[in-house]
């Protein structure tokens, strides 16, 4: 088990990278409305849902504002990926400058990934609030963002495994004494 725990950092990095790609590469929001013969369908891309821009609905160009939750999730995923990658690459290069703060950095990555996952899930109400409307009828969160949020939460869970097993190992040892 100890050999597998060495690779939790890179596994968590890969999961966070997949979540990051899903965040930017898939639709953040999808609009489907059907009433009688009228059927309207459009989507907001991940980049547009995060940073704002212009989209077209019913042939009318509409400008949308950036969403605070998506921007923070974007930044937190990037920070967590950098920390996780540094935690995996630096020991391979025999650089031990971060050994004393590795646990704290790993904890920061875990918290960043969990918060980013939660912020991906609250994109719909934040997008509505940032663009002046509270009505979200017909809008739904894109499937890629749902999977990305789950991946962020799972990456945070994988990243915390070494600390959990270390804590459980010490607790078992102290109980035996």
């Amino acid at each position: 088990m100890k050999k597998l725990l060495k690779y939790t950092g890179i596994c968590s990095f890969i999961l966070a990278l997949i979540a990051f790609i899903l965040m930017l590469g898939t639709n953040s929001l999808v609009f489907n409305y059907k009433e009688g013969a009228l059927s309207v369908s459009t989507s907001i891309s991940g980049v547009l849902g995060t940073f704002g821009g212009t989209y077209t609905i019913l042939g009318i160009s509409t400008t949308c504002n950036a969403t605070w939750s998506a921007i923070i999730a974007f930044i937190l995923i990037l920070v967590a990926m950098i920390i996780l990658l540094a935690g995996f690459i630096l020991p391979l290069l025999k650089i031990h400058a971060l050994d004393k703060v590795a646990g704290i950095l790993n904890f920061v990555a875990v918290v960043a990934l969990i918060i980013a996952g939660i912020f991906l899930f609250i994109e719909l109400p934040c997008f509505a609030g940032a663009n002046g409307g509270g009505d979200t009828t017909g809008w739904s969160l894109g499937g890629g963002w749902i999977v990305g949020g789950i991946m962020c939460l799972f990456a945070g869970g994988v990243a915390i495994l070494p600390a959990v097993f270390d804590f459980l190992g010490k607790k078992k040892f102290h109980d035996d004494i």
Side-chain angles (χ1 to χ4, degrees):
M1 185 64 157
K2 191 172 185 178
K3 287 185 180 185
L4 292 176
L5 289 177
K6 289 189 331 188
Y7 301 107
T8 57
I10 195 68
C11 291
S12 184
F13 170 79
I14 292 169
L15 291 169
L17 180 64
I18 293 169
F20 186 73
I21 292 169
L22 286 171
M23 179 183 177
L24 295 178
T26 62
N27 293 328
S28 62
L29 299 172
V30 178
F31 179 73
N32 289 316
Y33 180 77
K34 186 171 184 172
E35 186 174 319
L38 177 65
S39 179
V40 179
S41 180
T42 193
S43 59
I44 307 292
S45 71
V47 174
L48 189 64
T50 304
F51 302 110
T54 304
Y55 67 97
T56 304
I57 185 168
L58 291 175
I60 300 170
S61 290
T62 305
T63 302
C64 62
N65 298 324
T67 307
W68 68 267
S69 63
I71 290 174
I72 293 173
F74 176 84
I75 293 168
L76 290 175
I77 293 172
L78 278 178
V79 167
M81 286 192 317
I82 290 168
I83 291 171
L84 292 167
L85 194 59
F88 184 75
I89 298 281
L90 292 180
L92 291 177
L93 299 174
K94 306 286 190 236
I95 300 172
H96 300 289
L98 296 178
D99 285 352
K100 292 182 181 180
V101 292
I104 294 170
L105 288 175
N106 193 38
F107 181 71
V108 168
V110 168
V111 170
L113 286 169
I114 291 172
I115 291 173
I118 292 168
F119 280 179
L120 287 177
F121 287 124
I122 64 169
E123 168 68 3
L124 180 58
C126 292
F127 185 84
N131 292 294
D135 185 22
T136 58
T137 304
W139 287 97
S140 63
L141 192 60
W145 278 51
I146 293 170
V147 173
I150 292 168
M151 293 291 245
C152 279
L153 295 173
F154 191 61
V158 169
I160 203 166
L161 282 178
V164 168
F165 279 102
D166 186 43
F167 175 74
L168 292 176
K170 287 180 181 176
K171 187 168 179 75
K172 181 180 177 186
F173 178 74
H174 290 298
D175 289 344
D176 290 343
I177 296 178

